[in-house]
Short mmCIF file of all heavy atoms in Angstrom, two decimals:
data_model
loop_
_atom_site.label_atom_id
_atom_site.label_comp_id
_atom_site.label_asym_id
_atom_site.label_seq_id
_atom_site.Cartn_x
_atom_site.Cartn_y
_atom_site.Cartn_z
N SER N 1026 0.85 -1.20 -0.02
CA SER N 1026 0.00 0.00 0.01
C SER N 1026 0.87 1.27 -0.01
O SER N 1026 0.54 2.27 -0.64
CB SER N 1026 -0.94 0.01 1.22
OG SER N 1026 -0.15 0.02 2.44
N VAL N 1027 2.01 1.23 0.72
CA VAL N 1027 2.89 2.35 0.73
C VAL N 1027 3.61 2.51 -0.58
O VAL N 1027 3.82 3.60 -1.09
CB VAL N 1027 3.92 2.18 1.88
CG1 VAL N 1027 4.91 3.36 1.87
CG2 VAL N 1027 3.21 2.16 3.27
N GLU N 1028 4.06 1.37 -1.18
CA GLU N 1028 4.68 1.38 -2.50
C GLU N 1028 3.76 2.00 -3.51
O GLU N 1028 4.17 2.80 -4.36
CB GLU N 1028 5.06 -0.05 -2.92
CG GLU N 1028 5.79 -0.16 -4.23
CD GLU N 1028 7.18 0.41 -4.23
OE1 GLU N 1028 7.85 0.29 -3.17
OE2 GLU N 1028 7.59 0.99 -5.21
N SER N 1029 2.49 1.65 -3.47
CA SER N 1029 1.49 2.16 -4.43
C SER N 1029 1.35 3.66 -4.22
O SER N 1029 1.24 4.44 -5.19
CB SER N 1029 0.16 1.47 -4.23
OG SER N 1029 -0.83 2.05 -4.99
N ALA N 1030 1.32 4.13 -2.95
CA ALA N 1030 1.16 5.57 -2.64
C ALA N 1030 2.39 6.37 -3.16
O ALA N 1030 2.23 7.41 -3.72
CB ALA N 1030 0.98 5.77 -1.18
N VAL N 1031 3.60 5.76 -2.98
CA VAL N 1031 4.84 6.41 -3.44
C VAL N 1031 4.79 6.60 -4.97
O VAL N 1031 5.10 7.65 -5.47
CB VAL N 1031 6.08 5.63 -3.02
CG1 VAL N 1031 7.33 6.11 -3.70
CG2 VAL N 1031 6.24 5.73 -1.49
N GLU N 1032 4.39 5.55 -5.66
CA GLU N 1032 4.36 5.61 -7.13
C GLU N 1032 3.31 6.62 -7.59
O GLU N 1032 3.54 7.36 -8.58
CB GLU N 1032 4.04 4.20 -7.69
CG GLU N 1032 5.18 3.19 -7.51
CD GLU N 1032 4.83 1.84 -7.99
OE1 GLU N 1032 3.62 1.64 -8.37
OE2 GLU N 1032 5.65 0.93 -7.97
N ARG N 1033 2.15 6.65 -6.95
CA ARG N 1033 1.07 7.57 -7.37
C ARG N 1033 1.51 9.03 -7.12
O ARG N 1033 1.29 9.89 -7.98
CB ARG N 1033 -0.17 7.27 -6.58
CG ARG N 1033 -1.41 8.10 -7.01
CD ARG N 1033 -2.63 7.74 -6.22
NE ARG N 1033 -2.57 8.09 -4.86
CZ ARG N 1033 -2.39 7.23 -3.83
NH1 ARG N 1033 -2.26 5.94 -4.13
NH2 ARG N 1033 -2.31 7.63 -2.55
N ILE N 1034 2.08 9.31 -5.96
CA ILE N 1034 2.54 10.68 -5.66
C ILE N 1034 3.63 11.11 -6.65
O ILE N 1034 3.61 12.28 -7.13
CB ILE N 1034 3.05 10.77 -4.19
CG1 ILE N 1034 1.86 10.56 -3.21
CG2 ILE N 1034 3.76 12.09 -3.92
CD1 ILE N 1034 2.32 10.37 -1.79
N SER N 1035 4.56 10.23 -6.94
CA SER N 1035 5.63 10.58 -7.86
C SER N 1035 5.05 10.85 -9.26
O SER N 1035 5.49 11.79 -9.96
CB SER N 1035 6.68 9.44 -7.96
OG SER N 1035 7.25 9.24 -6.69
N ALA N 1036 4.11 10.06 -9.69
CA ALA N 1036 3.52 10.22 -11.01
C ALA N 1036 2.76 11.54 -11.14
O ALA N 1036 2.64 12.13 -12.21
CB ALA N 1036 2.58 9.06 -11.33
N ASP N 1037 2.21 11.97 -10.00
CA ASP N 1037 1.48 13.27 -9.98
C ASP N 1037 2.42 14.47 -9.87
O ASP N 1037 1.94 15.59 -9.78
CB ASP N 1037 0.49 13.30 -8.81
CG ASP N 1037 -0.68 12.34 -9.06
OD1 ASP N 1037 -0.89 11.95 -10.21
OD2 ASP N 1037 -1.34 11.96 -8.07
N GLY N 1038 3.72 14.24 -9.82
CA GLY N 1038 4.65 15.32 -9.70
C GLY N 1038 4.99 15.78 -8.32
O GLY N 1038 5.65 16.76 -8.09
N GLY N 1039 4.51 14.98 -7.32
CA GLY N 1039 4.78 15.33 -5.91
C GLY N 1039 6.02 14.66 -5.42
O GLY N 1039 6.70 13.87 -6.13
N THR N 1040 6.32 14.84 -4.09
CA THR N 1040 7.46 14.22 -3.45
C THR N 1040 6.98 13.37 -2.34
O THR N 1040 6.38 13.88 -1.37
CB THR N 1040 8.41 15.30 -2.95
OG1 THR N 1040 8.88 16.10 -4.01
CG2 THR N 1040 9.64 14.64 -2.25
N PRO N 1041 7.17 12.01 -2.41
CA PRO N 1041 6.74 11.17 -1.29
C PRO N 1041 7.79 11.13 -0.18
O PRO N 1041 8.97 10.90 -0.46
CB PRO N 1041 6.61 9.79 -1.99
CG PRO N 1041 7.58 9.83 -3.14
CD PRO N 1041 7.68 11.27 -3.54
N LEU N 1042 7.38 11.37 1.04
CA LEU N 1042 8.28 11.37 2.15
C LEU N 1042 7.86 10.22 3.08
O LEU N 1042 6.74 10.30 3.73
CB LEU N 1042 8.21 12.73 2.90
CG LEU N 1042 9.37 13.15 3.79
CD1 LEU N 1042 10.63 13.35 2.89
CD2 LEU N 1042 9.00 14.47 4.41
N VAL N 1043 8.58 9.15 3.12
CA VAL N 1043 8.22 7.97 3.86
C VAL N 1043 8.57 8.17 5.35
O VAL N 1043 9.62 8.64 5.72
CB VAL N 1043 8.94 6.73 3.34
CG1 VAL N 1043 8.62 5.48 4.21
CG2 VAL N 1043 8.55 6.47 1.91
N VAL N 1044 7.63 7.79 6.21
CA VAL N 1044 7.78 7.92 7.67
C VAL N 1044 7.90 6.51 8.30
O VAL N 1044 7.07 5.64 7.98
CB VAL N 1044 6.58 8.69 8.36
CG1 VAL N 1044 6.77 8.77 9.85
CG2 VAL N 1044 6.47 10.07 7.71
N ALA N 1045 8.91 6.33 9.12
CA ALA N 1045 9.09 5.01 9.72
C ALA N 1045 9.57 5.16 11.17
O ALA N 1045 10.12 6.23 11.58
CB ALA N 1045 10.13 4.19 8.95
N VAL N 1046 9.37 4.09 11.98
CA VAL N 1046 9.83 4.08 13.36
C VAL N 1046 10.62 2.79 13.59
O VAL N 1046 10.43 1.74 12.97
CB VAL N 1046 8.69 4.20 14.39
CG1 VAL N 1046 7.96 5.49 14.22
CG2 VAL N 1046 7.76 3.03 14.24
N ARG N 1047 11.50 2.87 14.60
CA ARG N 1047 12.25 1.69 15.02
C ARG N 1047 12.34 1.71 16.55
O ARG N 1047 12.81 2.72 17.13
CB ARG N 1047 13.63 1.68 14.43
CG ARG N 1047 14.39 0.35 14.57
CD ARG N 1047 15.59 0.24 13.64
NE ARG N 1047 16.53 1.31 13.83
CZ ARG N 1047 17.59 1.53 13.02
NH1 ARG N 1047 17.76 0.76 11.97
NH2 ARG N 1047 18.46 2.50 13.34
N ASP N 1048 11.77 0.69 17.15
CA ASP N 1048 11.76 0.59 18.62
C ASP N 1048 12.04 -0.84 19.04
O ASP N 1048 12.58 -1.64 18.26
CB ASP N 1048 10.42 1.11 19.16
CG ASP N 1048 9.24 0.39 18.55
OD1 ASP N 1048 9.39 -0.70 17.97
OD2 ASP N 1048 8.13 0.95 18.61
N ALA N 1049 11.66 -1.15 20.25
CA ALA N 1049 11.95 -2.52 20.79
C ALA N 1049 11.25 -3.58 19.96
O ALA N 1049 11.74 -4.73 19.93
CB ALA N 1049 11.54 -2.54 22.29
N ALA N 1050 10.15 -3.23 19.36
CA ALA N 1050 9.35 -4.22 18.56
C ALA N 1050 9.94 -4.39 17.17
O ALA N 1050 9.42 -5.23 16.40
CB ALA N 1050 7.92 -3.81 18.54
N GLY N 1051 10.92 -3.58 16.82
CA GLY N 1051 11.49 -3.67 15.45
C GLY N 1051 11.17 -2.42 14.63
O GLY N 1051 10.56 -1.46 15.11
N GLY N 1052 11.57 -2.48 13.41
CA GLY N 1052 11.33 -1.30 12.50
C GLY N 1052 10.16 -1.55 11.59
O GLY N 1052 9.86 -2.68 11.19
N ARG N 1053 9.38 -0.48 11.32
CA ARG N 1053 8.21 -0.58 10.47
C ARG N 1053 7.93 0.76 9.81
O ARG N 1053 8.19 1.83 10.34
CB ARG N 1053 6.99 -1.06 11.27
CG ARG N 1053 6.63 -0.16 12.43
CD ARG N 1053 5.65 -0.86 13.35
NE ARG N 1053 5.24 0.02 14.47
CZ ARG N 1053 5.96 0.22 15.53
NH1 ARG N 1053 7.12 -0.39 15.67
NH2 ARG N 1053 5.54 1.00 16.51
N VAL N 1054 7.35 0.70 8.65
CA VAL N 1054 6.93 1.85 7.86
C VAL N 1054 5.49 2.21 8.26
O VAL N 1054 4.60 1.36 8.31
CB VAL N 1054 6.98 1.63 6.37
CG1 VAL N 1054 6.41 2.80 5.58
CG2 VAL N 1054 8.41 1.35 5.93
N LEU N 1055 5.28 3.50 8.56
CA LEU N 1055 3.92 3.96 9.00
C LEU N 1055 3.09 4.46 7.79
O LEU N 1055 1.86 4.43 7.78
CB LEU N 1055 3.99 5.03 10.06
CG LEU N 1055 4.74 4.62 11.36
CD1 LEU N 1055 4.70 5.74 12.35
CD2 LEU N 1055 4.13 3.36 11.95
N GLY N 1056 3.80 5.07 6.82
CA GLY N 1056 3.05 5.64 5.69
C GLY N 1056 3.88 6.69 4.96
O GLY N 1056 5.10 6.76 5.09
N VAL N 1057 3.16 7.54 4.23
CA VAL N 1057 3.81 8.55 3.37
C VAL N 1057 3.18 9.94 3.60
O VAL N 1057 1.97 10.05 3.76
CB VAL N 1057 3.68 8.16 1.90
CG1 VAL N 1057 4.45 9.11 1.00
CG2 VAL N 1057 4.16 6.74 1.63
N VAL N 1058 4.09 10.90 3.63
CA VAL N 1058 3.61 12.30 3.60
C VAL N 1058 3.75 12.81 2.15
O VAL N 1058 4.82 12.68 1.56
CB VAL N 1058 4.46 13.24 4.53
CG1 VAL N 1058 3.96 14.67 4.47
CG2 VAL N 1058 4.37 12.69 5.97
N HIS N 1059 2.66 13.34 1.64
CA HIS N 1059 2.67 13.85 0.23
C HIS N 1059 3.12 15.34 0.27
O HIS N 1059 2.39 16.17 0.77
CB HIS N 1059 1.26 13.74 -0.33
CG HIS N 1059 1.18 14.14 -1.80
ND1 HIS N 1059 0.02 14.04 -2.51
CD2 HIS N 1059 2.10 14.70 -2.64
CE1 HIS N 1059 0.26 14.51 -3.76
NE2 HIS N 1059 1.52 14.88 -3.82
N LEU N 1060 4.31 15.58 -0.23
CA LEU N 1060 4.78 16.94 -0.39
C LEU N 1060 4.58 17.38 -1.83
O LEU N 1060 4.85 16.60 -2.76
CB LEU N 1060 6.30 17.04 -0.08
CG LEU N 1060 6.72 16.75 1.35
CD1 LEU N 1060 8.26 16.90 1.47
CD2 LEU N 1060 6.03 17.66 2.36
N LYS N 1061 4.15 18.63 -2.02
CA LYS N 1061 3.93 19.07 -3.40
C LYS N 1061 4.19 20.58 -3.46
O LYS N 1061 4.06 21.30 -2.48
CB LYS N 1061 2.51 18.74 -3.90
CG LYS N 1061 1.39 19.42 -3.04
CD LYS N 1061 0.02 19.09 -3.57
CE LYS N 1061 -0.23 19.77 -4.89
NZ LYS N 1061 -1.62 19.62 -5.34
N ASP N 1062 4.51 21.01 -4.69
CA ASP N 1062 4.58 22.46 -4.95
C ASP N 1062 3.17 22.93 -5.01
O ASP N 1062 2.33 22.48 -5.78
CB ASP N 1062 5.26 22.73 -6.30
CG ASP N 1062 6.73 22.97 -6.14
OD1 ASP N 1062 7.20 23.18 -5.00
OD2 ASP N 1062 7.47 22.97 -7.17
N VAL N 1063 2.80 23.91 -4.17
CA VAL N 1063 1.43 24.40 -4.09
C VAL N 1063 1.31 25.62 -4.99
O VAL N 1063 2.02 26.60 -4.88
CB VAL N 1063 1.05 24.78 -2.65
CG1 VAL N 1063 -0.35 25.30 -2.59
CG2 VAL N 1063 1.21 23.56 -1.75
N VAL N 1064 0.37 25.48 -5.94
CA VAL N 1064 0.14 26.61 -6.86
C VAL N 1064 -0.55 27.75 -6.12
O VAL N 1064 -1.49 27.49 -5.35
CB VAL N 1064 -0.75 26.14 -8.05
CG1 VAL N 1064 -1.10 27.31 -8.96
CG2 VAL N 1064 -0.04 25.07 -8.86
#
């Protein structure tokens, strides 16, 4: 789901910023922040 979001944001001309955490339970990706040039 995150890979799909990254590809979609990139295709739309935006910048995908992936957010992840690493703690005692291990490392995991939480999602994506969509950065874009705002008209």
Side-chain angles (χ1 to χ4, degrees):
S1026 62
V1027 176
E1028 181 70 35
S1029 175
V1031 168
E1032 292 176 353
R1033 184 178 68 254
I1034 292 169
S1035 299
D1037 290 340
T1040 301
L1042 203 62
V1043 176
V1044 179
V1046 297
R1047 191 163 59 187
D1048 53 20
R1053 60 193 180 280
V1054 174
L1055 301 182
V1057 184
V1058 178
H1059 184 176
L1060 296 180
K1061 62 179 291 188
D1062 267 346
V1063 178
V1064 175

